[in-house]
Amino acid sequence: MTEQEARMRRITDVPCVGKTSADLVQGIQRHYLRTLGQHTSSHVKNYKYQALAFAIRDRLMECWKNTKDAYEEQDGKRAYYLSLEFLMGRALGNAVLNLGLDEEVVKALHDLGLDFEEIVEEERDAGLGNGGLGRLAACFVDSCATLQLPVTGYGIRYEYGMFRQHIENGYQMEDPDHWLRGGNVWEVERSEYTQRIHFGGRSEYYHDDQGDLRVRWVDSNDVLAVPFDTPIPGYKNGTVNTLRLWKSAATDEFDLGEFNAGDYAGSVASKNEAEHISMVLYPNDSSENGKELRLRQQYFLASASIKDVLRQWVNVHGEDFSEFSAKNVFQLNDTHPTVSVAELMRILMDDYRLTWDEAWDITQHTMAYTNHTLLPEALERWSVSLFSRLLPRVLDIIYEINGRFLTVLAQKYPGDVERQRRMSIIEEGDVQHVRMAYLAIVGSFSINGVAQLHSDLLVEGLFADFYKLWPEKFNNKTNGVTQRRWMAWCNKPLSALISSEIGDDWITQLNELQQLELLVDDANFRERWSACKRQNKERLSKVVEEVCGVRFSPDAMFDIQVKRIHEYKRQQLNILHVIHLYDRIKRGDTANWTNRCVLIGGKAAPGYYMAKQIIKLINNVAEVINNDPDVGDKLKIVFFPNYRVSAMEIIAPAADLSEQISTAGKEASGTGNMKFMMNGAMTIGTLDGANIEIREEVGRDNFFLFGLTTDEVEAIRPNYVPNNIIAADEDFKRVMDLIECGHFSQFEPGLFAPITGSIRCHDDPWLVAADFRSYIDAQQEAAEAYQDKERWQRMSILNTAYSGKFSTDRTMEDYNREIWHLTPIRPKDETCVPPRHLCD
Ligand code: 26W
């Protein structure tokens, strides 16, 4: 240790941050006064939230440092999760839970006259994602920290996250989500690791001082990438991993032309373009619209993250990359960060002088790609002209990768020009495009789908040619969710009941829940189980009444569909069933009726017309049903506005029935389905995505199955005549009549013609009519099952008991065993593990 280091040590030699409620009170008070400058008379609750958040953050800091130290010291293999989306939600409750401080925090706040649940509500969701893919990334980093895997998340620090949704006259309205307003306690700016990112310009060939011919990217417009780090605590284990999000900033180089012309203000204003890159998350989750700014975002993330990893590598190993691929792996979350493949090549060759073969060997052994969708319209393609204008040097490299790849193909399949055309990374046509999925496949050693069916369909369909060429690259990794957030945190009553019976090992070993099976015959346990569900339903009812003005009786069955609004997810089918129930009530067909409260929530992409019409239909149907005195408690329906992570934390624990009703073969996996199952809801669903595995785990008697299978879906298409199906089914006909006669659009006849028209259309890709009858029948089965309280209780318990497979702890162990090969690392100093008396 140098003299200077010895002195510096005194800076970091701060007193220990204690973990009793008294210590916490002190911490909260100190931050309230000294960090936030607040007076005791202030009534702004948000400052109280911030003071607590700072106090909790203090208790993560040393572990964070110790974790980094341990990773550096061990110098083992590391993984980087590259994702344009991290849908983190709120951080406070999760940090408190993972630090084992729940009880002490409640006590501390109580001493200060505050209520934890109220304070928690002050935090804004970090909504830096659209839906499943973004939330999966968030669950992954939680599980990696809990498993003590050295994994860093890399993403973009969007100034505006997923838009906030409100409903006006039944229609979705979008409001900007300026989530950083009021500050973000959890992030730490690390401007010392700022990176410089190139755009535009051109490639230049030159001879270096050793006379070698080399390429460099010149005349570029550069943008700075400034990292902000967020701590990701593991569960009571002293590990705190890092989520590093990049913010764009202008360089300090003024536009010299404008500056010299005396337009100082103008030249400063032109910095805007650079700062726009990290301004807003694109709210599309299934169709790519080819916008330039989006490609800028993708390259910005890829380049900044790879440079950051290489910076750390060179710091430790110098410019010797022989071990690089043995010690680093990048997991690409869909094709969004796939330009990384070419960027890693570029930097290794242009900046570090590696040969093509050396660089390619490293790249191909470091990149792994996860696909999240089968929808062809979601497959990213960028026009070559846009690419060449924005990233000329990167495009050179993509062309070279493709050229060499096509040579391999030509050797393997001589004369098969058609195959070369099909598999080329560059799609020919009027306009040439770069096929990002193919770039990802060619550049990666591992390609995975996110549920067994999805992975099977990928190799049979979309990627069949590539599977034939490289079968060994393809694998499945079924998704999961973290039980820390989706059970331990969001469902306190049920967690307490479970832990009182089988202990709390399930929090890190979800398979332990299987022990619950032994308790299904215990009537007393079943009653207590129901009481928890009821308490959760009461909590949701309160919220529904507040935000929708509709009373949900906790006696009714809570029937819930929350997810992005998309035709393939078939919210239309759900609403047809609701209208059918309404029709039955109006006809007096209500013998043995099961009261239902239907909740539908989710955001539509702002440019997705049909999805927005579906929201309008749901709202109009709700308006009629909820105000009809004949209906009363028999049926209630709401569209829950602004569905988001923190809303799901209240919704999932309260669900009786989980709607997973996509057209078979369209939903890659689904993860909401897992959250509901874990919280003891029954699923009504098709054989799609992870539904299949859910049904396998819980058993067919505990799952309401309906609908065509993937094979049947494909078989029926050529002869599909929905009008015949409708005409032959009296119930169906009446439902369509009710919509078409304007019963739900009294002042706007024909308003829903696009929806009914698409259901009646012989090439309706989502085959709504084909599944109508079996859906209605399965719903009837569910209604009858709900009436048998004991049966329902048993099924509910079994759903939770068999949800063990769907923990992201299992998913991450699978990734690690079969793709990453990381060794878990414990931080040396375990000061951050809560003292025993606090975690018992
Ligand atoms: C803008 C282009 C685009 C295209 C696709 C943006 C985002 C996407 C994602 C692939 C959409 C998405 O979130 N997919 C979901 O990923 C989940 C996690 O694997 C799966 O559970 C869902 O089934 C899948 O729809």
Side-chain angles (χ1 to χ4, degrees), residues 684-697:
I684 182 165
T686 48
L687 285 178
D688 200 14
N691 293 354
I692 296 175
E693 290 158 78
I694 287 178
R695 180 162 170 269
E696 252 164 42
E697 293 295 302

Side-chain angles (χ1 to χ4, degrees), residues 369 445-452 455 458-459 467 471-477 814-815 818-819:
Y369 158 54
F445 66 89
S446 164
I447 299 129
N448 75 281
V450 290
Q452 190 60 56
S455 299
L458 281 180
V459 301
Y467 179 63
E472 68 288 353
K473 285 195 187 188
F474 289 82
N475 64 92
N476 172 249
K477 295 287 168 284
D814 290 351
Y815 274 80
E818 290 161 24
I819 305 176

